[in-house]
Amino acid sequence: MKTAIVTGAARGIGAATAQRLAADGFAVAVVDLDQAASDHVAEGISRAGGQARGFSADVSDAASVDAAVDLIAETLGAPQVLVNNAGVLRDNLLFKMSDSDWDTVVSVHLRGSFLMTRAAQQHMVKAGWGRIVNLSSTSALGNRGQANYSAAKAGLQGFTKTLAVELGPLGITANAVAPGFIQTDMTRTTAERMGLTFDQLIEHQVALIPAKRAGVPEDIAAAVSFFARDESSFVNGQVLYVAGGPHG
Ligand code: NAP
């Protein structure tokens, strides 16, 4: 049984992805800031018949990341799949965006994905097989109030393509999933910031989406599941928009 790490897996897209990869037959390391929240998701997976364990780590902190990946390798198995999903928002128009709004978002999404990938790739290289999936966003194409987030999500696309080039010869693929509007706590926070109820934001977004519905975490988990499979080995360095239409 191969081991998969999913970061930010205590809720939302990460939790759905952890559940999906467990159903696909991976032993899943559920990684999030809070140990109890990670354990809660892992216990749910175990109850459903899958194999999972909860781990706590701050993906933006190198020591925390290295310790967590070592512990995962010792207790669950050497990771061969990594899903860089942990994320935060600190939305603001550029003229109001603080240094810390910028640094926090870039640290968690970009630095976090770099640190996790650097720590996990050694196990994939040793095995001669690996799958890295990074969570980008339609915001990479530009989104009002998200200079920090769109820069990080566009940066992740370049990061993904470079990983594909460097690690491809070693049996490792790297791809990105770029979700559109997905119903999670993250988009619920966006509604609050905009002074809307969550239902109002959903209605507004659905009007713009060709598929005429909001996305759910399982939509993204299904795309990640494809990239994690053995049969996707010739798909490398791609960005898949999962947004109910050609773009956000
Ligand atoms: P979410 O519900 O806010 O969940 C994000 C998770 O990441 C939370 O459990 C959070 O923990 C964790 N996290 C935050 N900082 C972390 C850190 N430093 N180390 C470890 N874990 C950390 O978000 P989501 O909507 O599921 O989004 C998941 C990913 O998809 C993100 O990368 C997001 O940018 C991307 N995405 C989402 C959408 C959407 O519409 N929802 C669209 C495009 C892209 P805490 O709860 O403790 O903060």
Side-chain angles (χ1 to χ4, degrees), residues 89 91 143-144 146 181 184-198 201 205:
L89 292 181
D91 292 357
N143 198 25
R144 187 178 163 81
Q146 293 197 315
F181 181 80
T184 67
D185 289 344
M186 185 176 269
T187 41
R188 190 177 287 277
T189 309
T190 304
E192 281 165 23
R193 183 181 56 81
M194 295 170 78
L196 300 172
T197 66
F198 197 31
L201 179 64
Q205 291 290 336

Side-chain angles (χ1 to χ4, degrees), residues 149-195:
Y149 184 78
S150 65
K153 291 307 199 186
L156 276 170
Q157 297 192 9
F159 179 60
T160 301
K161 288 172 190 291
T162 296
L163 294 177
V165 171
E166 286 190 17
L167 300 175
L170 303 167
I172 300 164
T173 68
N175 292 285
V177 176
F181 181 80
I182 311 297
Q183 292 184 57
T184 67
D185 289 344
M186 185 176 269
T187 41
R188 190 177 287 277
T189 309
T190 304
E192 281 165 23
R193 183 181 56 81
M194 295 170 78

Side-chain angles (χ1 to χ4, degrees), residues 78-101:
Q80 287 183 260
V81 174
L82 170 64
V83 184
N84 285 310
N85 167 84
V88 289
L89 292 181
R90 293 289 184 276
D91 292 357
N92 233 327
L93 292 175
L94 181 67
F95 75 101
K96 289 196 275 189
M97 188 169 283
S98 68
D99 293 11
S100 103
D101 290 337

